[in-house]
Amino acid sequence: MKASIRQQHLLIDLQEIDTELLRLDRRLAQLPEKKKLVELQEGHREAHTNFFEKQKALEDLQLQISRIESDVVLVRERIKRSTSRLAESVSAKEASALQEELDTLNNRTRVLEDRELELMELAEEAESTKNEFQEKLAAFETRQQELEAAVVLAEKDAASKKARLTNERDGLAAEIQGDLRALYERTRERYGMGAAKLEGRVSGGSNMELDSADYAQVKATPEDEIYLCPVSGVILVRGYGQ
């Protein structure tokens, strides 16, 4: 296939745009913020689990405290009734039974109050721990929002650059003859690169120096004849430091 030097040099400009577009896509796929988001999500899940475990433990303790408080109220009401009956009692036997009952109820009250105090201390510790995990959870969520905002900003910036480069590419591609452009696209699709410079004896397609036989073949090929790199298969564009 024949193509003028200018046409071939346009391929290099086109390749530079395609390389930049590819670089933008790779940069977006490998954004540090995206990696940090993945790492953050693991910590966020752990903090979330710990927070709700501590919240559930606190609720269980508060429920136990509530039940004990109800029991204490009932016992005290019974003490009040028994004390009133004892004051009105005229029978020694009944008075002895009532006093024994009051002793039992007072012991029961002390046991309940001691248990309530113990549970309240545990609840205080549980609430403090829950609050710590709540703060961690809030910090994770804040950091996640910051990273997500950074990703959105990077994607927006990349989209703007890609739109500009795509417009440039469309205009540039329109200047390249159809058969040459088609060859470039096929080559790029197959090898990941469509065209590269030949600088001296070094092929930009393979980043290797052509051997003597291949270089002799290059020199023997007319400048307006398309030459493919024998190693990488891409279109080699001459006229760069030969």
Side-chain angles (χ1 to χ4, degrees):
M1 180 187 300
K2 289 188 175 295
S4 68
I5 294 298
R6 179 181 179 278
Q7 283 283 301
Q8 293 182 52
H9 283 194
L10 288 176
L11 293 181
I12 297 300
D13 296 337
L14 191 62
Q15 181 62 69
E16 288 176 353
I17 292 176
D18 285 334
T19 299
E20 183 59 26
L21 286 169
L22 183 61
R23 187 180 295 116
L24 280 171
D25 288 336
R26 287 176 177 169
R27 189 182 304 159
L28 276 177
Q30 299 171 1
L31 277 176
E33 290 82 1
K34 286 186 176 180
K35 183 179 179 181
K36 289 177 182 177
L37 268 174
V38 173
E39 295 170 351
L40 187 74
Q41 285 168 356
E42 183 177 347
H44 183 274
R45 283 193 296 269
E46 184 178 350
H48 188 274
T49 299
N50 288 331
F51 168 73
F52 281 103
E53 284 179 352
K54 297 305 177 182
Q55 186 178 52
K56 179 65 168 57
L58 177 60
E59 289 172 354
D60 290 342
L61 287 168
Q62 290 172 335
L63 181 59
Q64 291 182 60
I65 291 171
S66 178
R67 287 172 177 169
I68 288 177
E69 288 175 343
S70 297
D71 290 344
V72 169
V73 169
L74 292 175
V75 172
R76 285 175 176 169
E77 287 177 353
R78 189 168 177 181
I79 288 174
K80 184 178 180 181
R81 289 196 303 269
S82 295
T83 300
S84 178
R85 287 176 59 195
L86 179 62
E88 297 172 356
S89 176
V90 294
S91 167
K93 183 178 181 180
E94 182 184 17
S96 177
L98 286 170
Q99 186 58 57
E100 185 177 344
E101 179 182 355
L102 282 170
D103 291 342
T104 300
L105 291 172
N106 284 323
N107 286 333
R108 175 62 176 163
T109 300
R110 284 192 294 271
V111 170
L112 288 172
E113 288 175 340
D114 287 346
R115 179 56 179 163
E116 182 182 13
L117 181 60
E118 179 184 347
L119 289 173
M120 289 176 69
E121 290 176 351
L122 291 173
E124 185 178 351
E125 293 176 3
E127 183 167 15
S128 176
T129 305
K130 185 208 75 169
N131 290 339
E132 288 178 9
F133 282 113
Q134 189 172 23
E135 290 174 2
K136 288 182 179 179
L137 194 59
F140 274 118
E141 290 171 351
T142 298
R143 181 57 177 155
Q144 180 174 335
Q145 291 172 359
E146 291 173 351
L147 290 172
E148 288 174 346
V151 170
V152 169
L153 185 62
E155 289 177 341
K156 183 178 180 181
D157 181 60
S160 176
K161 290 178 179 178
K162 287 181 71 173
R164 175 180 56 79
L165 288 170
T166 299
N167 285 336
E168 290 181 15
R169 187 188 195 281
D170 291 343
L172 185 60
E175 297 183 45
I176 302 173
Q177 63 191 55
D179 56 350
L180 181 60
R181 185 173 66 249
L183 175 62
Y184 169 87
E185 297 293 359
R186 288 196 305 270
T187 304
R188 187 170 68 93
E189 182 177 353
R190 183 174 182 181
Y191 301 112
M193 180 182 290
K197 297 177 182 179
L198 177 63
E199 298 186 272
R201 295 179 59 162
V202 178
S203 165
S206 64
N207 290 319
M208 295 172 59
E209 190 174 277
L210 299 180
D211 61 29
S212 298
D214 288 332
Y215 188 64
Q217 180 64 40
V218 171
K219 300 297 287 184
T221 301
E223 289 187 346
D224 63 349
E225 186 75 28
I226 296 300
Y227 183 83
L228 302 180
C229 175
V231 178
S232 64
V234 306
I235 302 169
L236 272 186
V237 180
R238 290 159 285 173
Y240 295 93
Q242 291 187 59

